[in-house]
């Protein structure tokens, strides 16, 4: 029996999951393929910057302070240079990668 779907997403990382959620919201049948089985918990995408939180909100993925650790700026440093910026009144969130699908109801494409 062949599976039928409208969209096949390769990669269940932040971009792949966002694409899958957007496609499902548009009423399409979606399949996400990734080498790992969910929940995927690895070092990737933990720093959700203000623009990312805004994009997730547009996808009806709501994260609050209980889903991670709020932060209001970012700093990069090496042995010679330091660069830092404040997000002013905007908020960012340090969250585990697996928290994003769970905030959408446990299934990234449900």
């Amino acid at each position: 029996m062949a599976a039928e779907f409208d969209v096949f997403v390769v990669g269940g990382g932040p971009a792949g999951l966002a694409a899958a959620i957007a496609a499902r919201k548009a009423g399409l049948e979606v399949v996400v393929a990734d080498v790992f089985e969910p929940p995927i918990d690895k070092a990737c995408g933990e720093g959700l910057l203000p623009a990312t939180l805004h994009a997730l909100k547009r996808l009806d993925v709501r994260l609050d302070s209980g889903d991670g650790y709020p932060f209001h700026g970012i700093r990069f440093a090496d042995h010679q240079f330091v660069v830092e910026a404040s997000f002013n009144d905007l908020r960012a969130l340090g969250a585990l990668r697996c928290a994003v699908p769970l905030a959408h109801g446990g299934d990234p494409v449900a």
Side-chain angles (χ1 to χ4, degrees):
M1 179 173 154
E4 292 193 21
F5 50 87
D6 301 305
V7 177
F8 184 79
V9 177
V10 177
L17 292 179
I21 291 168
R24 287 291 294 152
K25 287 177 61 67
L28 301 172
E29 292 295 321
V30 179
V31 171
V32 177
D34 194 277
V35 68
F36 298 106
E37 290 185 28
I40 300 169
D41 189 12
K42 68 175 193 166
C44 175
E46 282 86 7
L48 304 174
L49 301 182
T52 302
L53 292 176
H54 181 71
L56 288 170
K57 186 176 180 180
R58 288 195 322 260
L59 293 171
D60 295 324
V61 177
R62 308 271 188 236
L63 296 166
D64 60 33
S65 301
D67 294 313
Y69 300 95
F71 62 97
H72 302 281
I74 193 163
R75 182 175 198 248
F76 296 98
D78 68 10
H79 65 283
Q80 188 175 2
F81 298 101
V82 174
V83 178
E84 58 189 345
S86 170
F87 301 142
N88 298 320
D89 294 332
L90 300 175
R91 150 184 107 87
L93 189 69
L96 294 176
R97 181 179 180 196
C98 57
V100 175
L102 295 176
H104 188 263
D107 183 351
V109 292

